[in-house]
Amino acid sequence: MTKFSSKKTLLLAGAGHAHIGMLRQLSAARLKDADTIEADIHLISEQPQTIYSGMLPGWMAGHYQLHDISIDIKSLCVRAGVRFIQQSLVQVNAASNKVVTTGDEQTDFDYDVLSLNTGADTDMRWLPDHNGYNEHRSDSDDNNTGAANTGVIAIRPLSTFITQWQRILKDAQQSEKYQLAIIGAGAAAIELVMAAQVALRNINRNHQVTLVCGENLLSGFNSDFRQRVVQQLHRHGITIIRERATDYRDGKLLTTHKSLPINAVIAATGVIGSAWTASTDLEIEGDGFVAVNYKQQSVSHPNVFAVGDVATRIDKYVAHSGVHSVHGGAVEADNLLAYLKDSIMKSYQPKSRTLYLLSCGDKYAIGSWGNVNLQGRWVWHLKKYIDKRFIEADKG
């Protein structure tokens, strides 16, 4: 078991929006020679870099290089005075204030305060053998094969998806008619399908992307926004199948009433809790999410905090989205420091209206703010400005 020092230990598990914001806050404080916190801080992350999901479709479509959408977590930790630990979280034992990780070897870490910002897994339960899919992915990740062998590629984890997307492009370059399906009905699936169509059509005009979305396309948005999105899908020539995907095998994607010849499938089918949540003693809600209150604090263990896709609020519905990850993350980061100093914590109260920008593949975007919807190339440039400001916040 690893013990750090006699000072309190703050353990950050994951490198999502909240922890990136906190590292930047600590780094700025060190530059000012300010005493932000009296504690040892350590960050556990499977990868030394984090891919910013908001710019992933732009990278897929060829508008950005990979380094443009990456944040160097390891370097950020160095500037913030935080120890970086490249490991994967496999267990949280909140009763004993301990987490278990795996990497080169399995390791135990003690903590006084724990923050979870690890994200979640793609919901693959639409596949009849989804457990077999997960086992196959886990066994194969080390040699960079994984889900590609099954023809189904989960959007998470992003680091694995990056490798699989590059393989799709190579396969498409060697094909006369490459057919890709993207499964999902949310904004992420919409952005992915248009980015993929742009990228594949740039290789060969015969290539085709199909969206399999069921009947509830963009159910969280108003009808005008949905109509604008469908118009853009039609503009790109994307095939829309409003049926539920039921299986993929032998090069065929099966839906409720169809059998489609498809070379590969990308699943953007929402999220479920990571595997470690099945055995933790933290209170878990729904499909494996850490139950938190309005302070982003665990309802069962007050020295544990969670934010982003790993968590769910029990006092009110808050959607799993990048918008709430950013704003909720900022509150959670402040609350971690406040908790360690035994001072008053803040509450995260989502605004009734939030700005949502959906990219449409070819430097065009649709914006939504409450009932107001706008679209155009200028909306894409606004999104680009906001995204780059987040990515480059620690570079200036």
Side-chain angles (χ1 to χ4, degrees):
M1 184 177 298
T2 300
K3 294 184 179 180
F4 296 113
S5 76
S6 59
K7 292 195 295 186
K8 285 186 176 181
T9 296
L10 169 58
L11 195 57
L12 309 176
H17 293 96
H19 291 170
I20 290 170
M22 185 172 187
L23 291 174
R24 287 169 171 168
Q25 183 178 343
L26 293 169
S27 180
R30 289 189 84 203
L31 288 174
K32 296 177 182 177
D33 198 25
D35 183 16
T36 303
I37 184 173
E38 271 298 319
D40 285 323
I41 308 177
H42 312 267
L43 184 140
I44 296 171
S45 177
E46 187 174 358
Q47 302 291 336
Q49 292 193 327
T50 288
I51 303 298
Y52 179 47
S53 59
M55 297 175 76
L56 180 71
W59 170 78
M60 290 172 60
H63 307 316
Y64 303 116
Q65 299 297 313
L66 193 56
H67 65 82
D68 293 326
I69 69 169
S70 302
I71 297 174
D72 190 335
I73 297 300
K74 188 173 182 179
S75 295
L76 192 51
C77 283
V78 171
R79 292 197 296 274
V82 172
R83 179 189 175 193
F84 176 78
I85 303 166
Q86 189 169 349
Q87 297 268 316
S88 300
L89 180 68
V90 295
Q91 186 178 0
V92 176
N93 189 330
S96 60
N97 292 342
K98 180 179 72 175
V99 303
V100 180
T101 66
T102 186
D104 294 334
E105 59 183 20
Q106 186 165 299
T107 309
D108 297 353
F109 293 103
D110 292 326
Y111 63 84
D112 293 296
V113 181
L114 172 66
S115 177
L116 297 163
N117 193 202
T118 58
D121 290 340
T122 303
D123 187 353
M124 302 299 293
R125 292 174 297 182
W126 61 275
L127 274 175
D129 188 27
H130 61 275
N131 289 326
Y133 166 88
N134 289 329
E135 291 169 3
H136 179 89
R137 183 188 67 183
S138 299
D139 292 343
S140 307
D141 276 349
D142 290 342
N143 58 18
N144 287 325
T145 55
N149 289 342
T150 69
V152 179
I153 301 166
I155 188 63
R156 298 162 184 267
L158 292 182
S159 57
T160 302
F161 175 77
I162 291 287
T163 301
Q164 306 298 358
W165 174 249
Q166 291 170 328
R167 185 167 299 155
I168 284 176
L169 293 181
K170 289 181 181 178
D171 291 345
Q173 288 168 354
Q174 300 171 5
S175 173
E176 293 184 2
K177 186 175 183 181
Y178 193 90
Q179 299 191 79
L180 173 69
I182 294 179
I183 302 174
I190 300 301
E191 289 192 306
L192 290 174
V193 76
M194 286 193 269
Q197 182 80 330
V198 167
L200 293 182
R201 286 284 175 89
N202 282 340
I203 295 173
N204 188 322
R205 297 301 297 177
N206 291 324
H207 293 347
Q208 180 63 44
V209 182
T210 297
L211 175 67
V212 180
C213 58
E215 294 296 331
N216 297 316
L217 181 66
L218 294 172
S219 59
F221 294 86
N222 61 53
S223 59
D224 178 59
F225 187 86
R226 291 196 298 270
Q227 289 173 7
R228 289 171 184 257
V229 168
V230 170
Q231 289 172 358
Q232 294 303 310
L233 292 170
H234 288 158
R235 177 172 70 85
H236 283 292
I238 293 166
T239 302
I240 305 173
I241 306 294
R242 292 183 180 269
E243 295 184 5
R244 185 174 63 88
T246 58
D247 200 0
Y248 178 75
R249 61 180 67 248
D250 301 324
K252 300 283 187 180
L253 176 63
L254 306 180
T255 68
T256 311
H257 298 102
K258 299 180 186 296
S259 176
L260 310 170
I262 296 292
N263 294 96
V265 175
I266 294 175
T269 42
V271 294
I272 57 173
S274 298
W276 65 264
T277 61
S279 59
T280 185
D281 55 347
L282 290 168
E283 184 167 332
I284 299 297
E285 289 287 323
D287 293 322
F289 304 112
V290 178
V292 297
N293 60 21
Y294 59 91
K295 301 173 186 176
Q296 300 297 145
Q297 183 181 34
S298 166
V299 298
S300 59
H301 296 79
N303 65 329
V304 177
F305 294 76
V307 70
D309 285 343
V310 72
T312 191
R313 288 273 292 270
I314 64 165
D315 58 311
K316 67 188 312 179
Y317 173 74
V318 179
H320 288 102
S321 74
V323 172
H324 296 303
S325 294
V326 171
H327 296 299
V331 171
E332 195 255 14
D334 287 341
N335 284 348
L336 286 173
L337 302 181
Y339 183 87
L340 283 164
K341 294 179 179 179
D342 196 26
S343 55
I344 297 174
M345 292 188 285
K346 301 177 181 178
S347 66
Y348 173 52
Q349 299 300 334
K351 297 178 181 178
S352 58
R353 292 188 294 182
T354 56
L355 177 64
Y356 198 96
L357 302 175
L358 186 146
S359 60
C360 299
D362 54 352
K363 296 187 178 182
Y364 194 94
I366 303 172
S368 171
W369 190 66
N371 292 323
V372 178
N373 301 302
L374 299 166
Q375 66 186 73
R377 297 197 176 278
W378 72 270
V379 180
W380 187 88
H381 285 285
L382 173 63
K383 175 175 168 53
K384 177 183 177 181
Y385 169 77
I386 294 172
D387 288 340
K388 287 181 66 94
R389 187 173 62 176
F390 177 78
I391 284 282
E392 298 174 356
D394 56 306
K395 297 179 182 179

